[in-house]
């Protein structure tokens, strides 16, 4: 049951009229919930009537008591402020390409890029968020295998010459025969 102080806070508002004018469905539902509470229904009854949990109704009451009707729009999300700024996207693209060039062997992983974003750009991304960012910037995160530091280009060239020599007998792979 709601305290008398909360019920008194609800009295000056015409939640039915506010809900009727509201275009956002989530906010409208919250206003209807408060209208039911103002009529004396419990949070459980309101939750059952609106097909939400009583905890959701109690959370909406807390939001209302903390910030009034304007607060019913919802909670601001922390992750919306953690995004890479549009102005930094080109610098980020160059930093990833530089990281790939500096890598002697192996490839740049999503975790490497996540750490780059945190240290160099001051934004915290999840691993999935990193991949979403790369996709949004049309960067392919799966790259070709880098050249091994142990590779011998001369030996590879000689191997290719012997393999493709016109007089050499070619053996068809088993799966093609």
């Amino acid at each position: 049951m709601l305290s008398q102080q909360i019920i008194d806070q609800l009295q000056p508002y015409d939640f039915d009229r506010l809900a009727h004018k509201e275009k956002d469905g989530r906010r409208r539902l919250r206003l209807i919930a408060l209208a039911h509470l103002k009529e004396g229904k419990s949070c459980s009854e309101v939750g059952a009537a609106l097909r939400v949990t009583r905890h959701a109704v109690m959370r909406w009451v807390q939001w209302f008591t903390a910030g009034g009707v304007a607060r019913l729009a919802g909670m601001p999300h922390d992750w919306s402020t953690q995004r890479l700024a549009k102005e930094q996207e080109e610098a980020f693209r160059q930093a990833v390409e530089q990281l790939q060039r500096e890598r002697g062997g192996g490839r740049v992983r999503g975790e490497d890029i996540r750490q780059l974003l945190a240290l160099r750009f001051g934004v915290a991304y999840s691993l999935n968020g990193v991949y979403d960012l790369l996709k949004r910037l049309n960067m392919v995160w799966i790259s070709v295998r880098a050249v091994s530091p142990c590779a011998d280009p001369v030996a590879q060239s000689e191997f290719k010459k012997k393999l493709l020599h016109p007089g050499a007998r070619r053996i068809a792979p088993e799966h093609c025969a």
Side-chain angles (χ1 to χ4, degrees):
M1 196 68 187
L2 293 178
S3 70
Q4 187 60 41
Q5 181 183 4
I6 294 173
I7 294 172
D8 290 343
Q9 275 186 296
L10 297 173
Q11 292 308 316
Y13 296 94
D14 184 1
F15 293 110
D16 291 322
R17 185 179 54 80
L18 292 171
H20 186 69
K21 290 181 177 181
E22 183 60 48
K23 293 180 193 230
D24 180 25
R26 289 181 298 173
R27 193 167 173 184
R28 186 180 320 113
L29 188 68
R30 294 167 187 165
L31 290 166
I32 292 169
L34 292 178
H36 284 293
L37 291 171
K38 182 179 171 183
E39 293 172 357
K41 294 182 181 173
S42 70
C43 290
S44 298
E45 291 171 332
V46 173
L50 299 178
R51 296 185 181 200
V52 296
T53 64
R54 68 180 174 90
H55 296 290
V57 176
M58 291 187 304
R59 186 174 49 244
W60 299 339
V61 170
Q62 288 175 342
W63 290 354
F64 174 75
T65 57
V69 175
R71 181 65 183 81
L72 293 176
M75 290 290 289
H77 301 289
D78 291 339
W79 63 82
S80 62
T81 60
Q82 292 292 321
R83 306 244 185 227
L84 183 67
K86 292 272 187 200
E87 303 81 40
Q88 293 180 317
E89 287 178 355
E90 187 56 36
F92 167 72
R93 183 186 306 275
Q94 291 172 0
V96 171
E97 290 171 358
Q98 178 184 359
L99 185 63
Q100 180 67 36
R101 283 191 301 271
E102 291 173 354
R103 190 61 53 109
R107 61 181 78 178
V108 176
R109 302 171 306 142
E111 180 61 29
D112 300 327
I113 297 172
R114 192 181 71 76
Q115 290 175 3
L116 173 82
L117 282 164
L119 296 174
R120 208 147 158 206
F121 296 95
V123 291
Y125 271 80
S126 68
L127 200 51
N128 284 339
V130 168
Y131 296 133
D132 289 342
L133 173 65
L134 292 174
K135 182 177 181 180
R136 184 169 55 86
L137 296 177
N138 294 323
M139 295 181 72
V140 179
W141 64 272
I142 298 177
S143 62
V144 295
R145 188 171 210 68
V147 177
S148 171
C150 302
D152 183 2
V154 175
Q156 288 176 352
S157 175
E158 288 300 316
F159 176 78
K160 288 178 184 177
K161 285 179 187 175
K162 289 179 187 175
L163 182 67
L164 300 176
H165 188 292
R169 184 172 163 219
R170 295 180 187 220
I171 300 173
E174 291 179 17
H175 63 82
C176 294

